[in-house]
Amino acid sequence: MLSEKEIDGYVADNLFRKRDPRFINYERFKEQHRKERAKIEGRKGLFTVKDFTFPEDLSHCICPAGKRLYRCGRNCNHKGFTAVQFQGPKSICIPCHLRSKCLRHPDRTPARQVAYFMGRNEKGKSTFTEKMKKKIDSAMGRIIYSKRVGAVEPVFANICHAIGLKYFTLRGRPKVNTQWNLFCIIHNMKKIHRFGPEFA
């Protein structure tokens, strides 16, 4: 949509902060959050992919309990990455004594699934998402994107929390656009009412 209308937009992806050098130590705080959450929920922490063993031919996978997980998918595409998937048989996972450490929801998840990522696929290298990543990761891109904190986010916060547009109550693009424009008019009128007399 942005390319068709030739709009110079900057849209961050889910891994934007992970690639930001200013958040290079974020994993340390993420791991701390996981431990605190596990402590509150009475868990001792979940197994990660690092706790599983993968042979060179990727024909199977060995879980922390020493059981064999079978290969259930090859060349799977996930957000531009190629992965090999493994899954444990129900006959092994259901009676396993490590279910509480292996599954986030052991009461309703029958078996564990693990994905071994091979790298980025060729299709993912040419998508609009990848082009946006290169654009927003550049020095100028980060400077422009950082301006949203003072230019855009306060507007959305005011319209959402102060004026009360939690969600659109109409259906269809023309009606939604009309509703959005009305709330933007209210936002601008409130600013004129508050700050206008100072410039009169």
Side-chain angles (χ1 to χ4, degrees):
M1 182 66 70
L2 294 177
S3 61
E4 293 176 358
K5 294 187 177 181
E6 298 182 354
I7 298 176
D8 185 23
Y10 290 81
V11 183
D13 59 283
N14 295 335
L15 301 178
F16 167 69
R17 291 189 180 275
K18 187 175 182 179
R19 299 192 309 273
D20 193 331
R22 294 173 296 180
F23 297 92
I24 192 172
N25 295 324
Y26 87 101
E27 281 289 352
R28 175 164 58 93
F29 301 100
K30 191 175 182 179
E31 183 64 25
Q32 180 180 353
H33 171 72
R34 289 175 179 170
K35 292 181 180 179
E36 293 176 352
R37 182 176 178 180
K39 186 177 181 180
I40 294 174
E41 296 178 355
R43 296 183 286 103
K44 296 183 179 180
L46 296 175
F47 292 125
T48 64
V49 179
K50 298 178 181 179
D51 298 312
F52 292 77
T53 304
F54 302 90
E56 294 183 0
D57 59 355
L58 297 177
S59 58
H60 63 280
C61 172
I62 304 299
C63 72
K67 304 299 182 180
R68 185 183 179 115
L69 278 66
Y70 64 88
R71 184 167 174 171
C72 61
R74 57 180 300 180
N75 297 330
C76 300
N77 295 322
H78 181 71
K79 296 182 179 180
F81 289 86
T82 302
V84 178
Q85 293 184 343
F86 302 88
Q87 183 172 341
K90 294 182 181 180
S91 59
I92 293 177
C93 288
I94 291 179
C96 183
H97 64 285
L98 297 176
R99 282 180 60 84
S100 59
K101 293 191 63 177
C102 195
L103 299 171
R104 190 176 301 276
H105 303 287
D107 54 333
R108 63 173 185 261
T109 305
R112 173 65 187 258
Q113 293 183 339
V114 182
Y116 182 90
F117 287 92
M118 306 287 292
R120 187 171 299 282
N121 56 35
E122 293 299 326
K123 183 179 178 181
K125 294 181 180 179
S126 59
T127 61
F128 287 109
T129 302
E130 293 304 317
K131 294 179 181 179
M132 182 61 69
K133 286 181 180 179
K134 293 181 180 180
K135 179 180 178 181
I136 206 171
D137 286 346
S138 63
M140 182 57 65
R142 291 191 180 277
I143 293 174
I144 294 176
Y145 184 77
S146 64
K147 293 182 179 180
R148 74 180 182 89
V149 178
V152 180
E153 294 298 336
V155 177
F156 290 146
N158 179 262
I159 292 176
C160 179
H161 298 286
I163 301 178
L165 181 63
K166 299 293 183 179
Y167 52 86
F168 293 106
T169 58
L170 303 175
R171 294 295 179 267
R173 183 176 295 181
K175 294 181 180 180
V176 169
N177 287 339
T178 300
Q179 187 176 14
W180 172 250
N181 289 333
L182 287 174
F183 273 87
C184 289
I185 291 173
I186 296 173
H187 170 77
N188 291 328
M189 290 180 66
K190 288 172 68 70
K191 288 197 296 185
I192 294 174
H193 173 72
R194 183 174 181 180
F195 301 105
E198 298 180 6
F199 300 95

